[in-house]
Amino acid sequence: MASVYDRQVDFDTFMEGVEKRNPGQDEFVQAVREVAADVFPFIEDKPEYHEAQILRRIAEPDRIVSFRVCWEDDDNNVRVERGWRVQNNNAIGPYKGGIRFHPTVNESVLKFLAFEQTFKNSLTGLPMGGGKGGSNFNPRGKSDNEVMRFCQSFMTELYRHIGPHTDVPAGDIGVGSREIGYLFGQYKRLTGRWEGVLTGKGCEYGGSAMRPEATGYGAVYFLRNMLTRSEHDVEGKTAVISGAGNVATHAAKKINALGGKVLTLSDSDGFVHDPDGIDQDKIAWVRELKNERRGRISEYVEEFTGATYHEGKRPWHVECDVAMPCATQNELEADEARALVDNGVMAVCEGANMPTTKNGVDVFHEADVLYAPGKAANAGGVAVSGLEMSQNAERVSWNREKLDDMLLDLMSDIHDKCVDRGAGSRGRVNYVKGANIAGFERVAGAMLAFGVM
Ligand code: GLU
């Protein structure tokens, strides 16, 4: 009997299905839509991908583990949070991706991040599948002891689902070296094994040199590759950067090192604008403010004269040559993209994951602005995590120079893949399309080889 199952559905029908199966999960649907919009035309004449339902399978996580995380605060109150690990796809390597602690974390956000991570990790060329985890726990205002107790409780549930050959988490928003230390310590205590189960570790216990710098530096290397291709350079350019965490501050450092000038940094309360430039000393002060004193960016203007603080605002109306959103998802909307374009921005390079909304991306594309999506531009972080895994497996540690050279090569390689797969008319490149197709091809090729599962 002939099957009524339509193997080669069109884009709209496919997206209707994604929406129906993931009700209320707007971020996840947004991420899938963006990839599917490029993959559908690409696979139109490749029935084997349709037959095997490859995209449908990548857009359905292999599994989602969700668990209760119970801990005691400093006043002995019992607190209850929710934790997750989304294991999206392990066709090309163990699940790999960060852990995020932030009140905005929910299943939709982690599913979108794990989906994006699958393509990002594929682009690096290294053997890493896609995953993401986290909790709605808010580290802001918590003592070190509270964070430690939370991390230990979180790992007490998570440890049975991860391992150096199954799933290797790392940091993300709200999870830095302090949290990775507590998480790794608890894993080791529970299993009795010292192994490369997390990346972003301290250098004393198996971490890789250059891992803290890798996402921000890598994003600026990608930006430089884009600019070079259109016969420009970072030198002399003004940059507006959002965020004040690990990615933003290292991006800012590299912009300065290459002769650019950083005008802004931000956090979720507002942004600072320093027309004199946020130089290396000022960045060191911001890093100390955020990492040691756990303060807010508003304090910057008390320390440095000439700067202004803009409460409740994002920095996208400040005139600049390049913009680097390095804070969080959907932090740059269409009207802000329009303001950047009107002010003459030439390149936008994402250090965060999906910081620009779909309509914002359309504005950049229509205005012919060089635009690099996070899954390509911020892949340097996870790439050096992949190198940390290699070093742990070999029981060696490489020096900064070697790792920086490898990072440079990895970012050039990702850039070239985007150019190859995203080439359009008159020498233009659609980096979104290039990243989506190049990322998809590798995962899809592996999945085809495995058969139906
Ligand atoms: N959280 C980072 C990202 O979004 C790094 C993940 C990792 O190193 O595994 O890519």
Side-chain angles (χ1 to χ4, degrees), residues 26-100:
D26 297 343
E27 295 85 357
F28 177 65
V29 173
Q30 179 187 347
V32 175
R33 184 184 301 280
E34 193 223 81
V35 168
D38 289 322
V39 167
F40 263 80
F42 174 71
I43 62 174
E44 205 181 349
D45 57 351
K46 301 177 185 65
E48 66 276 22
Y49 292 115
H50 286 282
E51 301 273 330
Q53 300 287 323
I54 296 291
L55 190 59
R56 168 88 201 264
R57 281 155 64 186
I58 301 177
E60 192 68 46
D62 288 356
R63 69 192 61 77
I64 302 174
V65 189
S66 143
F67 46 89
R68 183 183 68 237
V69 188
C70 193
W71 59 288
E72 261 183 82
D73 68 21
D74 287 343
D75 300 320
N76 296 110
N77 299 305
V78 172
R79 310 279 288 260
V80 184
E81 250 81 44
R82 192 170 295 172
W84 290 268
R85 186 72 182 166
V86 179
Q87 297 180 329
N88 194 71
N89 187 293
N90 67 352
I92 59 171
Y95 305 106
K96 180 84 197 85
I99 293 176
R100 179 177 291 192

Side-chain angles (χ1 to χ4, degrees), residues 4 182 196 314:
V4 290
Y182 295 144
R314 301 191 283 218

Side-chain angles (χ1 to χ4, degrees), residues 390 394 399 429:
S390 303
E394 278 187 61
N399 64 31
V429 176

Side-chain angles (χ1 to χ4, degrees), residues 85 95-100 113 117 120-121 128 131-132 168-173 199-200 211 215 247 351-353 374 378-386 389:
R85 186 72 182 166
Y95 305 106
K96 180 84 197 85
I99 293 176
R100 179 177 291 192
L113 288 165
Q117 197 84 43
K120 185 196 305 194
N121 295 1
M128 300 182 291
K132 204 88 182 190
V168 183
D172 196 79
I173 294 171
T199 60
R211 178 62 191 89
T215 314
V247 181
N353 291 312
N378 74 33
V382 75
V384 174
S385 276
M389 290 165 72

